[in-house]
Each structure stands twice: as C-alpha cells, then as structure tokens.
Amino acid sequence: MKNGLREIDSSVFDRKNPYEKYDRNLRLLKSYIETIPNIEVDDSSGNTYASLSNSLIREIDRKPSVCILGNFDSGKSTLANALLGNNIIPTNILPTTCLPTFIKHVDERPRWMQGDVIILRHGFNPRLWKDPAHTKNYIWMQGTLAILEEFVTHKKSKSKLEELVDLTAEQLIGKEKEHEFNKESEYAIVFLDSPVLRCCEIVDYPGFGNDDFDNEKAESYQNIMDGAFYLSTITGFLLSYEIRRLGQIIQSLDKFELIDPDFPTLGGLFVLATHADPDKYDENTLEEIAVKETKRIFKQLGETKIHERVALTNREITPYDVASKIHAFWYDSNLNKKNLGTSTKMFGSFMEDFAKFAMEHLPRFWEIRAEKLVADFALHEENALTIQIESYQNRLDEIKNLESIYAEYMNQEQERKSIKSLKHSLIREKIKDFKVQSLNEFESSYERILDEKKIEQVIKSKYENNKKEAQEYTMGYLLEKLEESVKNILIPKTEYIKQQTDDFISEYSNASKLSGESVQLGITIDGVGAFAAGLAKVTFLGAMAAWGAATGAAYLGAALALSGNATIAAIGSGLLAGSAVAASIGNGLAVAWTVATGPIGLGVIATVSLAAIAMKTFGPSWQLRLARKIRSEIDKNTIKEKFNDSMCAYWDSSLFAFNEGAKSIEEKWLKKLDELRRQVEQPEEEGKKEIEGILENLENMRSFFAKLYWDGA
C-alpha cells in the first residue's frame, strides 16, 4: 500500500472524455460500414458481410468494464458510490446487490430505452445490450432509480410494484412477484451522469458466499471483466479461499501486456482491504499487511496462476508488483447511509492509481486494440476474397469446360466423403479416448499430490512452524496444484486435437484441387471461416477454443462475436495469440468448473482452516495430523469427482464443438458443389452471366475491405 489513506474525491475523473478521439474514429468506421453492400459471406453461416462487419463494430463500440467483486459484506456497493460520487447504489450491512448491475454513462442510453434502470430477464447477453433486436426481448422492467432498492437488492418489496412499473391488470392478477423476480431477472443496467463513467462502465456484482443464487450471478464476471476491484475486509484479509478466487481473477484478466508494452503489470487489478479504520490502521500497519499478504499470495499462487500469467504475457511479476495492487478503503459505516457521499467521508489509497488506469492506460490500450481488430479483420477478408475472385475468374475463363470440371468433382466426391468421414471419426474417437485418459492420469496426479507425507513436506517447507498459516493456506495451495495438474494433462492432448482439426479443414482445400492442379478452377471455400461459423452456435468450446486461439484469424473474432460470446470473440481476435493452448484451456476449464459453483474447493478450504489441530505430546507431528485432516476433507468433499466432472465437460464440449464446425464446413462444400452444378446445367450465356455477377460482387467487397481501417493517427 504505497499511499496512505486519503479522502476519496471522485472529481479526479474530470469532465474531459478520454475516448473523444476513439469515439470520433468509431463514428467514421460506422459511417463507412453503413455503405457496405448486402452480400452473403462465403461460409455456411448465412451471414452477410454487413452483419459480419456490424459484429466487429459491436466488439469495438463499448467502454471497458471494471467489475467490483468480493464477499457479500465487503463494501462493494459503497465502493461503487465512492467511484461514482453519488449515493446511488443501495448499501446495507446485509447482502444487498442481488443482480450484476452495469452502470453506464447516461449519454450512452439508446433512445429506445425508456428508464434510468433496466432489469433484464434470464438469457440476456450484456455484450449485446445496444442491439434492440436482442435487448427488447429480455426487458422485464424499466423505470426510475427507485427500482434499484426495490428490485436489485435483497430488500425487494412487492407492495411498491405498481408504483414502480406500469403493468396491466392482467399482468398483476395471480402473480407472485417475488417468485417471478427470482425466476426471471438476470441483470440490471443503470444510467447515470458521473465522470468516471466516461472512462469505463462499473459493474457491481452480488457478493460471493451469500447463497447459491448470488454465487451463480457473481461468477458471470469472467466474460465481462476488463479490470477488477476485489474487496476483502481487513480483519481476516484475503483468507485462503479468497486468494484462490483472486487467482481466478488474475487468470481471467485481459492480457493487456501482449498488445501494449507500456501497460503496467497487473494494471487492471485493484485489491482493497476494506473497513480499514485509520484510527486502528496507520500507514505502517497497512504496509505490513500488504507485504504479509503478498507473501501468502505467492505461496499459494506463485507456482500456478502467477506463473501462468508470466508465461502468457511474457512479463515478470514480482512481489512488488503484487504488493502495489493492494490498497486500503475505509468509510464510516455508523453515519446515516442515506447521506452517504455527502456527509459520510470515504478514504482510500487507490484512487490515484485507478484514475491513471481508467483515464490513461485503458484508453490507450483500447485504441491499440481497435486498430488491431479492424486491421486483422480487413486483411483476412481481403485475402479470402482474393482467393475467391481468382477461382471464379478461372472458372469464367474455362466456362466451356465447366461440365467436365463438375464431372471430375463428382467422380472424386465419394472418395472425398470417405476421407472426410474417416478423419472425422478418428478425431471423434480420439476425443473420447482423451476423456478416459485424462481421468486416469488425474487419478495418479491426485494420489501423488495428496499423499499425506507429501502434504506434510509442503507444510514444513512453506509454513515452517506457523500452524495458523498452515491451516489457513495449505488447502488452497494443494487445490491450485490439482488444478495445475489438470491443465498439464489437457495441454498436449488439446494441442493434438488442434493439429488434427487443422488437418481436417485442409482436406477441403485438397479436395478443391482437380487432378493435382494448384490452380483451383471449380470450388474454393474459406475452410477456417466455414468451420468457425459452426462454432458460433456453441456455448462452450473445450479444445476448439485452442484451435481458435492458435488460428488467430480476425475473422473468428468477428464471426463468432455474432453469437455474443465475448470469450470466443477475444480468442478469435488474436488477443490470446502466442500462448493459445494454455490460455484457452485455462479459460475453458474456468467455464467448466466455475460458472455455477465458483472455483472447486472453496467450501472445504474454510472447513479445514477453521478446524483446530490439537497439540499432542506424543504421536505424529502436528504437520502430519494436519496433512491427514486436509486429505480427509478433500476426499469427503468429493474434490476429485468435481475435477473429473470439469474434465468430462471439457471433452464433451470439445466433441460437440468439433461436430458443429465439421457440419458447417461440409454444408459449405455441398453448397459450392451445388452452385457449380447449377452453372453447368444453365445455358452457357446464363452461366457466364451468373459468374460475372458473382465476380462483380466479390470485387466490390474486396475494394470495400481494402479501404476499411481504424484511424489510429
């Protein structure tokens, strides 16, 4: 905590818009894309180039999301109010926020949205909030800020429903509002006029640890987060299960450093020790806490999440880097909370660093990111169109020979289908084999890591004679090692599936060549694009996420963004390139084992940390007795089975995703073959005219993408 507690002043976020240049470039890009011809993309998705380009705009046309995370009593909503400079978010000593609440600047509100607060039903995708075709289908309620306390906290009131929402009598009759709310609601959007919201949107999440409903909502941050505050009360600061959750956040943070070398290490992370009353905690004490917790973080995460982050970003992470992310936050909770933000004073050591992150680092990164996304997307489309143009031009030149060309394709079609079917079957069976192998290998890793003597050695080497610290943190360390072993099991297998997928796709390029000729006279398809179009229909990709990350084609980012899946879009845009397999496995497993329940083993960590290990004069050492207790608790809480379930989900998702990609590329091939058949059956002049029309469209599109760029000047 390099700065002492200072009174928080939200005016540090001045009224200047740090995205003024960005917004100008975005308007220019939108204006240009509006001129795009409405021509269908050469894949099996049914998308047009206009819809594909608009999906790129959707990924660019947003502010960064800064998430506020922590346990239910850690002061998250109070922090949101401190950043906003208003007493907007309801606060209470009880768990309050029950929905992820996206707080955006009022100037961003579309004209078709009526309220200051919008509550959205289950199934809403936050990345698509500006799309009326999507969002209007999920609006459950909209109205004034009064809705916040009534319906976005655990203090919902049925009696005021008619005052807040304009419902018909038919809608009101026979409805149990509390039940309907819990069943239907998923997110809330709030529009405010606050300077910080010109820099980023603030997302206030429900607290971890209140109930399963809140936990499920809180875990949804992973595909949203561009920066994060993690709050933990200073008494009991960063217990082991919280460090494990912090590791998950570090894993999920954007890899800013890969694109912007000047971006600070872990620049998007702020860890706050809350309730840090300055009468009890002076600057020296806070510094000691930061140093102490940094050591604990490295003990538990140094060999796993921190090591992975270093490999993914090519950036060393030192204890100083971690300690500098730990700050203090305090507010007088005894004062009237209704006057919070006016009479209540709030203090923190983080505002200066966060302001620099939000007003300088993020806008610069966002410019670099947008320029890269647009350039990669335009280059991919231009190259794909060039290949198609050459193919159709050759076809036009050989118009008199189309019948023989088609006949040759048909003659080899049965052989092509056999090869395709064989390769599809081999990959399918290999995925099934890898699923079984993964479970068997993890059985061995589990027994090796959790051997009682090995655990005893870990306790002695890491925690020496500090029994309290050993009780608190050994479990978290072991769970991190189990998680690491799962990734190590999956990485070589995933790499193999990625290579086989590339080979499967390349078979379509081989099939498009006649008699070994390198010039493609008949059928040319964008195999990567067609396969990716199939993945856009899939929620969880498993090993196919590694294929997408390694391919790195900007097309994937835009095409898959049509599904609204932010993780898929980021993978496709190349932001994970350079460490594709490891990054995608980490993200894929995070989906598999955290969407509903959070990182595996959080509950059992608390069980062991609270269990007293009685001192005995004779018998096994306390380290061995603790080791046995930990092993017993892990077995009792079926941790092995939960990891096994996550691996099964990973491979099941891999198989489903591959099948969808294979189906999509095959559909595209058959569509192209049918197109050639139709041109053969037409009179020569009609066939020639159709090909000329296709060529004209493709030339227009290539010219369009050649001029598509982001003005980074």
Side-chain angles (χ1 to χ4, degrees), residues 233-351:
T233 55
I234 197 165
T235 53
F237 183 56
L238 289 184
L239 299 175
S240 182
Y241 70 89
E242 291 188 282
I243 292 179
R244 181 150 164 72
R245 201 180 291 283
L246 187 62
Q248 180 188 1
I249 294 170
I250 291 173
Q251 174 181 275
S252 301
L253 276 174
D254 276 342
K255 314 302 183 287
F256 298 107
E257 300 92 330
L258 284 176
I259 294 180
D260 182 1
D262 295 327
F263 202 89
T265 302
L266 296 175
L269 178 64
F270 300 85
V271 181
L272 303 192
T274 62
H275 308 306
D277 187 340
D279 291 336
K280 298 179 181 178
Y281 303 95
D282 60 22
E283 189 169 347
N284 290 332
T285 304
L286 295 175
E287 187 67 32
E288 290 173 4
I289 290 173
V291 171
K292 179 181 178 182
E293 294 308 320
T294 296
K295 291 180 180 178
R296 288 177 171 175
I297 289 170
F298 267 86
K299 280 183 180 179
Q300 186 163 323
L301 303 178
E303 299 172 20
T304 53
K305 296 297 193 303
I306 292 176
H307 176 75
E308 291 168 16
R309 180 82 186 184
V310 169
L312 292 174
T313 61
N314 297 318
R315 180 80 66 85
E316 191 65 32
I317 298 176
T318 67
Y320 174 80
D321 293 324
V322 173
S324 68
K325 308 312 298 180
I326 299 175
H327 298 270
F329 179 47
W330 177 78
Y331 60 95
D332 189 346
S333 59
N334 294 319
L335 295 179
N336 188 344
K337 290 184 179 294
K338 291 185 178 180
N339 294 323
L340 188 62
T342 55
S343 64
T344 299
K345 294 184 183 294
M346 289 183 272
F347 297 83
S349 62
F350 58 88
M351 192 61 93

Side-chain angles (χ1 to χ4, degrees), residues 565-582:
N565 189 312
T567 297
I568 299 174
I571 287 171
S573 68
L575 299 182
L576 299 181
S579 50
V581 175

Side-chain angles (χ1 to χ4, degrees), residues 68-73 76 205-211 214-221 230 241 245 248-249 598-599 602:
I68 301 179
L69 308 167
N71 285 341
F72 63 82
D73 60 348
K76 297 184 308 302
Y205 274 87
F208 298 115
N210 180 45
D211 55 32
D214 277 8
N215 286 342
E216 182 176 354
K217 303 292 185 187
E219 290 295 345
S220 65
Y221 74 86
Y230 185 81
Y241 70 89
R245 201 180 291 283
Q248 180 188 1
I249 294 170
L602 290 186

